[in-house]
Amino acid sequence: MRIAKPRVLAATLAVAAAVLTPAVTAGPAHAVAPCGKKAADKDGSSWHATANGANMRSGSSTGCSINGLAARGDVLDYHCYTWGPWQGEQRYAWTYARNTRTGVEGWLRTDTMSDFGSDVYCGF
């Protein structure tokens, strides 16, 4: 039986591609901060201002209670960020912070913040 050279070459390339292509694995799951979840201060960067009237919630979801409000001119001490629940095909990042004027701590959706919050992942 004679095998055509193009078939041998195609089979060789297919085997080489399978061997050299890394397996696709799922990355770590990004957990939602449940209502009542606090976060350690992992973000050593300077404090930041936020947008006017951003709700500070007890977890990384709009379904969690509001602890306080970050008003225009308030300064926030960022601790870290995590993710909120999926909303259809969209998911928002949330930053845990302490309002230095009021002392209130809570989660703020990063798209409501002038600089999009912390860039240090909370790790849970």
Side-chain angles (χ1 to χ4, degrees):
M1 179 177 180
R2 184 172 175 211
I3 300 175
K5 287 184 182 179
R7 287 187 182 169
V8 171
L9 179 59
T12 303
L13 289 176
V15 169
V19 170
L20 296 176
T21 303
V24 176
T25 59
H30 296 289
V32 173
C35 300
K37 176 76 172 176
K38 294 186 176 194
D41 192 352
K42 296 182 176 189
D43 190 338
S45 65
S46 60
W47 297 350
H48 309 275
T50 186
N52 187 27
N55 289 324
M56 300 180 74
R57 296 186 177 270
S58 66
S60 63
S61 169
T62 56
C64 293
S65 63
I66 298 171
N67 294 347
L69 188 71
R72 183 179 306 275
D74 284 351
V75 176
L76 301 176
D77 176 13
Y78 294 168
H79 290 201
C80 58
Y81 82 91
T82 195
W83 295 95
W86 286 99
Q87 298 173 338
E89 293 183 11
Q90 195 166 13
R91 194 172 194 193
Y92 293 99
W94 292 71
T95 290
Y96 190 80
R98 181 179 59 85
N99 186 321
T100 61
R101 178 180 62 85
T102 64
V104 171
E105 293 184 2
W107 294 95
L108 299 100
R109 217 170 77 179
T110 59
D111 65 318
T112 67
M113 305 168 80
S114 60
D115 62 357
F116 301 104
S118 177
D119 60 357
V120 177
Y121 182 59
C122 293
F124 56 81

